[in-house]
Amino acid sequence: MLIRYKKTFEKIAMGLMSFMPNEKDLKKLQQTMKEYETEENRQLFLWKEDDIIGLLGVLFHRESNSLEIQHISVNPSHRSQGVGKRMVKALKDMYPDKEIIANNDTAPFVEKCDIC
């Protein structure tokens, strides 16, 4: 289930975000988390099954009515089980009127989802 990020989930969200290649540096990671917490056009979602095992960060583009997936990460012990695809599908179901797009970092994965 896709749930909205709350500050109480900060440590687990930072852990999942740190799996993204561009978020290895702690200062960069902290800056990215702050952007999701403070910028109105950014939203962070967490994927919860029994535990929180995935993260999806999006940027809302109001002018083009689209959502850009900026970050997508799954706990390594849950990879290759379709979790990432389920997260993207849940996002599409949550925002059926929006086009889902990817950035350079997330495009290789999102293109495999066959949803966008």
Side-chain angles (χ1 to χ4, degrees), residues 14 23-31:
M14 285 181 73
E23 302 295 337
K24 299 286 185 203
D25 177 68
L26 181 59
K27 286 190 182 206
K28 169 75 171 94
L29 177 60
Q30 290 171 326
Q31 177 62 36

Side-chain angles (χ1 to χ4, degrees), residues 24-63:
K24 299 286 185 203
D25 177 68
L26 181 59
K27 286 190 182 206
K28 169 75 171 94
L29 177 60
Q30 290 171 326
Q31 177 62 36
T32 300
M33 291 301 296
K34 185 174 182 170
E35 289 169 0
Y36 279 113
E37 291 170 4
T38 59
E39 293 182 19
E40 198 176 290
N41 63 335
R42 293 181 187 268
Q43 181 67 54
L44 201 56
F45 296 95
L46 301 170
W47 185 258
K48 183 171 170 56
E49 291 183 355
D50 291 333
D51 294 313
I52 294 171
I53 59 170
L55 170 142
L56 192 63
V58 299
L59 176 63
F60 290 82
H61 294 287
R62 284 174 178 69
E63 65 283 347

Side-chain angles (χ1 to χ4, degrees), residues 12-25:
I12 190 149
M14 285 181 73
L16 288 164
M17 181 80 73
S18 72
F19 293 123
M20 291 292 297
N22 294 341
E23 302 295 337
K24 299 286 185 203
D25 177 68

Side-chain angles (χ1 to χ4, degrees), residues 43-102:
Q43 181 67 54
L44 201 56
F45 296 95
L46 301 170
W47 185 258
K48 183 171 170 56
E49 291 183 355
D50 291 333
D51 294 313
I52 294 171
I53 59 170
L55 170 142
L56 192 63
V58 299
L59 176 63
F60 290 82
H61 294 287
R62 284 174 178 69
E63 65 283 347
S64 62
N65 198 37
S66 62
L67 293 174
E68 179 181 330
I69 297 178
Q70 298 217 303
H71 296 94
I72 187 161
S73 179
V74 175
N75 181 313
S77 62
H78 293 274
R79 290 186 184 163
S80 300
Q81 298 174 17
V83 174
K85 288 181 181 181
R86 288 196 302 273
M87 287 194 299
V88 174
K89 183 178 182 335
L91 182 70
K92 183 68 177 163
D93 291 347
M94 191 180 282
Y95 296 98
D97 60 323
K98 302 230 183 274
E99 179 186 7
I100 307 288
I101 59 175

